[in-house]
Amino acid sequence: MKNILIQLFILLPFLSSCQSNEKAAASTDYIEASAWISYGKYSPKGKIYVDKRLQEVDKSKASYYLEKETLGREIIPRFEYRGNTGDHHEDNKKYEDTPIIKYLYKYKGIQDDKIAIVTTASELVDAPGEFLFDGKAFSVYPNEQVHEVLRFEVARINGELLRYDDKGKLLETRYFDQGQEYWNTLEKERVHQELVGTWTMELENDGSFKKVILVMELLETGMMKTYQEIYYNDADAGKLQWRLSDSKEKEATTALWIYIPLSNTTGEFQVQLKGKTIENDKVTIIDKDHMKFEITYLAPEYADSKIKGYDFKRRK
């Protein structure tokens, strides 16, 4: 999987650097996330032509043609889909320990031969042309600017989907959990701008060796990211000097935050994860750079018994 991602990211700068001398007009007729076909079957032989929904069609009706680059052979692990998976994978046990060939699927414009979509795909060895998307994927505009970047995990969009305009400006970030979109960013007027910023709280400090800082980034889009920074004392310095570790004990958690003021100095702070409110905290604002939380966990699976409250200071 690591090699697949490396190859995909090698392609991104290549797409940007090999632009045509002719200025291509931006197209608004592009692949939307909902239109990506995540699994299906193509003809095992001959040139494959597809429409804008990546379904195989006659050449006369095609928007793209497919070029496949072999990445290697693997054994697909057992997997299970969530929700309505379709007849194609109704019996997923069929694919347990099945050899697959990993491909890089490159869809090129039928008129201009330019790359429009790139994704990794797996094909069953005993069923050539029967594929599922699994791994990094992106689409590009006719002027070769990246349009969408996303990730498939066993034929389901999972995680962030980033969408850009034809000049490279980020337009929106959408979030998926096994193919289900669970929120969009908040409208600007719903975001309590006074709290936007990076806040920190010390979780652990043994005084001489290790220090752990909880970091909460509140973004103006309504997103929040929380993670831990791990610091170690640099013994070679001869005195207490904290050095930030390159690794994190916990990966960043991305959620949605909503602040509802109750007075000038108090409010209610909601944390939503995958469309579900998991915290409903009481906030006391000490000043513009200091606030305290009384935590109420609403989802036991996300509760941290070690943390009863937050005492955040704004990072400057």
Side-chain angles (χ1 to χ4, degrees):
M1 183 63 67
K2 182 178 180 182
N3 291 335
I4 295 171
L5 294 179
I6 289 173
Q7 292 197 42
L8 278 164
F9 282 109
I10 287 173
L11 276 173
L12 279 168
F14 170 77
L15 288 172
S16 300
S17 62
C18 65
Q19 293 187 13
S20 169
N21 292 330
E22 297 179 5
K23 187 176 180 180
S27 170
T28 57
D29 189 15
Y30 44 65
I31 293 290
E32 293 285 348
S34 59
W36 289 74
I37 180 173
S38 57
Y39 57 85
K41 191 168 185 177
Y42 289 151
S43 301
K45 295 181 180 179
K47 201 162 188 177
I48 299 168
Y49 297 95
V50 300
D51 59 17
K52 287 189 178 296
R53 296 186 62 84
L54 307 189
Q55 300 280 358
E56 187 169 3
V57 294
D58 293 335
K59 183 178 179 180
S60 61
K61 300 177 181 178
S63 298
Y64 312 111
Y65 65 90
L66 175 62
E67 286 187 352
K68 300 194 295 186
E69 178 182 330
T70 304
L71 297 177
R73 181 177 293 214
E74 295 180 0
I75 300 294
I76 192 168
R78 179 176 178 176
F79 58 86
E80 293 184 5
Y81 286 114
R82 301 179 185 178
N84 182 16
T85 63
D87 293 338
H88 180 72
H89 290 296
E90 183 177 356
D91 184 6
N92 60 60
K93 292 181 180 179
K94 168 185 174 182
Y95 303 102
E96 184 177 0
D97 298 327
T98 301
I100 60 170
I101 298 178
K102 297 290 286 187
Y103 285 98
L104 198 64
Y105 275 19
K106 294 182 282 188
Y107 296 89
K108 293 187 174 182
I110 199 75
Q111 302 296 332
D112 55 16
D113 292 327
K114 290 182 179 179
I115 288 180
I117 301 160
V118 178
T119 184
T120 50
S122 301
E123 290 189 15
L124 300 175
V125 171
D126 58 355
E130 189 173 339
F131 69 90
L132 60 84
F133 289 173
D134 185 26
K136 196 78 176 181
F138 63 88
S139 61
V140 297
Y141 287 101
N143 67 352
E144 294 169 338
Q145 285 284 352
V146 174
H147 168 234
E148 288 182 341
V149 179
L150 62 152
R151 182 178 182 81
F152 286 94
E153 291 189 9
V154 195
R156 291 289 183 266
I157 299 176
N158 205 42
E160 289 186 336
L161 182 148
L162 305 176
R163 179 171 293 151
Y164 301 85
D165 68 12
D166 61 337
K167 295 180 174 57
K169 179 182 177 181
L170 181 63
L171 294 177
E172 65 174 332
T173 306
R174 297 167 66 181
Y175 302 89
F176 292 81
D177 179 43
Q178 298 295 323
Q180 299 297 315
E181 187 171 10
Y182 55 86
W183 77 67
N184 287 317
T185 52
L186 290 179
E187 299 87 353
K188 190 172 183 179
E189 56 269 19
R190 292 186 62 196
V191 178
H192 196 76
Q193 296 295 325
E194 288 82 356
L195 297 188
V196 170
T198 301
W199 301 81
T200 64
M201 167 183 159
E202 190 171 290
L203 291 180
E204 177 186 338
N205 188 346
D206 66 4
S208 60
F209 177 66
K210 182 181 178 181
K211 180 168 64 174
V212 181
I213 303 295
L214 176 65
V215 181
M216 177 178 69
E217 297 179 12
L218 301 182
L219 308 182
E220 60 183 6
T221 58
M223 285 172 49
M224 66 179 292
K225 293 186 178 182
T226 54
Y227 53 91
Q228 294 182 8
E229 291 178 344
I230 314 299
Y231 293 83
Y232 294 99
N233 182 29
D234 188 351
D236 296 335
K239 60 180 180 179
L240 192 63
Q241 183 170 324
W242 295 109
R243 171 178 52 84
L244 178 63
S245 172
D246 292 334
S247 62
K248 291 186 175 69
E249 289 189 355
K250 294 184 178 179
E251 295 295 327
T253 299
T254 303
L256 190 72
W257 67 280
I258 298 174
Y259 181 74
I260 304 170
L262 300 178
S263 72
N264 289 336
T265 58
T266 62
E268 185 178 279
F269 190 94
Q270 297 179 357
V271 179
Q272 295 184 7
L273 185 63
K274 300 180 181 180
K276 179 181 181 181
T277 302
I278 63 171
E279 283 185 33
N280 193 8
D281 307 330
K282 293 181 180 179
V283 177
T284 301
I285 298 176
I286 310 302
D287 57 43
K288 65 182 181 65
D289 298 322
H290 186 192
M291 58 182 175
K292 294 185 177 183
F293 285 59
E294 293 180 31
I295 305 175
T296 299
Y297 293 110
L298 302 180
E301 63 270 30
Y302 298 110
D304 190 336
S305 60
K306 296 180 180 179
I307 303 178
K308 304 298 184 183
Y310 301 124
D311 190 342
F312 280 117
K313 302 288 181 65
R314 188 187 296 271
R315 176 173 282 176
K316 299 180 179 179

